């Protein structure tokens, strides 16, 4: 039995070669071939020996190395989180239920609150007017509680890309800067106006894809929980 009998054997990985070998009658030679491939040689060839049929040397084995986080976080002061969403979804809606599950888990680390604003409060048909009314309401809410110690993050498709690690870094920075709370703003079906983006300390996006606002809420809640697990050095994020 020779692996060189398989067309393109030189480009096969260990897993593919093992699958081919398992289809053949079990033999010590076949097992030895798989063993040689997994341990760094190809087929029945000795290390560095060219195939007698192709004259090619077996390709080097490229082993993947685990990527682990290297940054170590110190003690991070829990800063209360408020997630503001513009949605008409009811509490029994599956997306709301799932988001609340992550908020319950997040509450083990930090005080968290979800504030829901009704979309299109004036019932206008023009999407731009509806977006303006929704933005006006969230700006009024922020103005009521706005102070230099409140950090506001706007979620918008025009924002910079966020990662789990960058969210952890953000929460650490907010904690170290003495902020008393952090607000995450999720817009309605048509997003936010420029005024909301300008009023925010930071504008981010959770994906390069445009997310439905209910989906964005679930993703944000899970990512906040993940960010805190990173800060705590817990194994949820790996």
């Amino acid at each position: 039995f020779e692996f060189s009998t398989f067309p393109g054997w030189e480009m096969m990985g260990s897993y593919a070669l093992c699958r081919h070998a398992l289809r053949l009658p079990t033999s010590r030679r076949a097992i030895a071939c798989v063993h040689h491939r997994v341990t760094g040689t190809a087929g029945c060839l000795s290390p560095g020996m060219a195939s007698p049929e192709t004259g090619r040397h077996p390709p080097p084995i490229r082993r993947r190395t685990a990527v682990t986080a290297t940054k170590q976080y110190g003690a991070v002061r829990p800063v209360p989180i408020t997630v503001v969403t513009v949605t008409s979804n009811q509490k029994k809606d599956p997306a709301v239920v799932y988001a609340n599950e992550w908020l319950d888990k997040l509450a083990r680390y930090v005080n968290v609150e979800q504030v829901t604003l009704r979309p299109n409060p004036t019932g206008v048909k023009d999407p731009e007017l509806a977006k303006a009314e929704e933005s006006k309401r969230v700006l009024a809410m922020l103005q009521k509680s706005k102070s230099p110690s409140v950090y506001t993050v706007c979620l918008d498709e025009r924002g910079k890309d966020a990662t789990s690690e960058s969210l952890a870094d953000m929460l650490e920075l907010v904690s170290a800067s003495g902020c008393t709370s952090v607000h995450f703003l999720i817009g309605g079906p048509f997003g936010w106006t420029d005024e909301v983006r300008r009023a925010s300390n930071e504008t981010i996006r959770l994906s390069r894809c445009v997310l439905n606002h209910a989906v964005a809420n679930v993703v944000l809640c899970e990512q906040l929980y993940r960010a805190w697990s990173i800060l705590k050095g817990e194994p949820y994020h790996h």
Side-chain angles (χ1 to χ4, degrees):
F1 166 69
E2 292 275 346
F3 273 127
S4 56
T5 59
F6 295 116
W9 68 271
E10 300 92 341
M11 302 304 294
M12 290 184 183
S14 301
Y15 178 70
L17 288 171
C18 288
R19 289 189 64 186
H20 281 296
L22 289 174
R23 293 173 185 166
L24 299 170
T26 304
S27 69
R28 297 185 64 181
R29 190 172 184 186
I31 295 172
C33 289
V34 176
H35 171 74
H36 280 300
R37 180 57 175 164
V38 172
T39 54
T41 61
C44 295
L45 304 177
S46 299
M49 182 183 297
S51 167
E53 297 184 6
T54 64
R56 298 179 183 177
H57 290 272
I61 304 297
R62 295 183 178 179
R63 302 187 184 277
R64 294 185 178 182
T65 56
V67 179
T68 57
T70 57
K71 182 172 180 179
Q72 299 294 323
Y73 294 90
V76 178
R77 178 179 59 90
V79 177
I81 295 173
T82 300
V83 178
V84 181
T85 59
V86 178
T87 180
S88 58
N89 291 345
Q90 302 299 317
K91 291 184 178 180
K92 294 184 179 180
D93 185 275
V96 176
V97 173
Y98 195 36
N100 287 337
E101 288 182 11
W102 290 110
L103 291 178
D104 290 341
K105 294 180 180 181
L106 178 61
R108 300 205 303 257
Y109 303 119
V110 61
N111 291 331
V112 59
E113 177 188 14
Q114 180 124 43
V115 176
T116 301
L117 301 179
R118 187 166 61 91
N120 194 7
T122 56
V124 296
K125 294 183 179 180
D126 187 343
E128 290 300 317
L129 292 178
K131 180 170 67 175
E133 288 298 324
E134 293 163 1
S135 298
K136 185 184 299 184
R137 290 189 66 189
V138 78
L139 287 171
M141 185 194 73
L142 291 176
Q143 188 66 31
K144 187 178 297 185
S145 61
K146 186 68 176 175
S147 71
S149 60
V150 176
Y151 197 84
T152 305
V153 183
C154 175
L155 274 68
D156 190 272
E157 63 186 48
R158 303 168 188 79
K160 66 180 181 180
D161 291 318
T163 65
S164 302
E165 290 79 6
S166 69
L167 280 175
D169 290 339
M170 177 197 297
L171 295 176
E172 181 191 39
L173 177 63
V174 168
S175 174
S177 62
C179 292
T180 57
S181 65
V182 55
H183 287 55
F184 289 89
L185 312 179
I186 300 177
F190 305 104
W192 296 117
T193 61
D194 291 337
E195 287 76 15
V196 174
R197 287 188 286 271
R198 285 194 294 266
S200 301
N201 299 96
E202 194 168 347
T203 301
I204 64 173
R205 63 180 180 182
L206 299 175
S207 171
R208 293 185 179 182
C209 299
V210 178
L211 299 180
N212 173 278
H213 57 285
V215 175
N217 184 38
V218 173
V219 174
L220 175 64
C221 293
E222 188 275 340
Q223 285 298 307
L224 289 174
Y225 172 75
R226 183 179 295 272
W228 262 103
S229 74
I230 292 173
L231 294 174
K232 291 291 188 179
E234 296 183 354
Y236 175 73
H237 178 75
H238 52 83

